[in-house]
């Protein structure tokens, strides 16, 4: 949380320590998951494992981790935000199977160049973008073809 001046460093040490313990618990739970999960699913898994971080705190921490680039965030087929610990340390995009939810992290230099060009052509600065490509993974495509 930020204080009135927007400076996180000036928060009381006691609050920071509590948040750090909760953030560590959320991070540790995310480290055990390979697939994207909703915050509610993550909270349920943490609760089942004995963690007592509240759902509201889990939401806040996951959102903060997404803003800091520590987790990837996508929208599933229902439009719900789902999260996963980033496997790639650089800016990347995703291929997402709309059937089973499998994701593949991809780098797309052509997309980066296009986004920068469009932004520049329109006078935009400090731009960001997200690209998610939905389709069927090879396994789901094969299963569909076999029907």
């Amino acid at each position: 949380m930020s204080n009135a001046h927007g400076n996180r460093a000036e928060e009381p040490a006691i609050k920071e320590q509590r948040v750090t313990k909760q953030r560590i618990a959320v991070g540790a739970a995310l480290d055990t998951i390979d697939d994207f999960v909703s915050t509610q699913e993550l909270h349920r898994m943490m609760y089942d494992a004995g963690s007592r971080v509240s759902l509201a705190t889990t939401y806040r921490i996951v959102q903060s981790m997404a803003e800091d680039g520590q987790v990837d965030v996508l929208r599933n087929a229902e439009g719900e935000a789902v999260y996963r610990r980033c496997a790639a340390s650089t800016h990347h995009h995703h291929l997402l199977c709309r059937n089973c939810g499998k994701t593949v992290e991809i780098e797309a230099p052509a997309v980066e160049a296009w986004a920068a060009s469009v932004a520049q052509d329109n006078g935009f600065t400090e731009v960001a973008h997200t690209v998610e490509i939905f389709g069927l993974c090879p396994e789901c495509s094969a299963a569909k073809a076999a029907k």
Side-chain angles (χ1 to χ4, degrees), residues 57-71:
T57 298
T58 303
Y59 269 104
R60 186 172 31 84
I61 291 170
V62 169
Q63 181 60 41
S64 172
M65 292 175 83
E67 290 169 0
D68 292 344
Q70 296 173 359
V71 295

Side-chain angles (χ1 to χ4, degrees), residues 5-139:
H5 302 289
N7 186 340
R8 294 174 183 255
E10 295 177 13
E11 289 185 21
I14 251 174
K15 175 127 177 133
E16 185 65 29
Q17 183 179 13
R18 182 179 64 83
V19 171
T20 299
K21 288 178 183 177
Q22 292 166 329
R23 184 176 295 265
I24 288 169
V26 170
L30 284 166
D31 287 342
T32 67
I33 302 166
D34 291 329
D35 293 327
F36 281 86
V37 295
S38 70
T39 305
Q40 287 186 345
E41 290 171 315
L42 177 65
H43 178 261
R44 187 187 73 248
M45 294 166 67
M46 291 172 56
Y47 186 86
D48 290 349
S51 176
R52 295 301 177 247
V53 178
S54 74
L55 179 59
T57 298
T58 303
Y59 269 104
R60 186 172 31 84
I61 291 170
V62 169
Q63 181 60 41
S64 172
M65 292 175 83
E67 290 169 0
D68 292 344
Q70 296 173 359
V71 295
D72 286 328
V73 59
L74 298 175
R75 296 274 172 192
N76 63 18
E78 294 79 36
E80 179 182 29
V82 290
Y83 303 88
R84 179 181 72 180
R85 191 63 101 160
C86 290
S89 59
T90 59
H91 180 72
H92 58 279
H93 304 285
H94 301 97
L95 292 169
L96 178 64
C97 181
R98 64 178 169 258
N99 185 52
C100 71
K102 175 182 179 178
T103 58
V104 176
E105 293 183 349
I106 58 171
E107 292 187 17
V111 170
E112 303 305 322
W114 173 80
S117 175
V118 168
Q120 183 178 15
D121 290 350
N122 289 281
F124 279 63
T125 63
E126 299 183 33
V127 297
H129 65 273
T130 302
V131 174
E132 298 167 15
I133 303 170
F134 294 90
L136 294 179
C137 69
E139 294 80 10

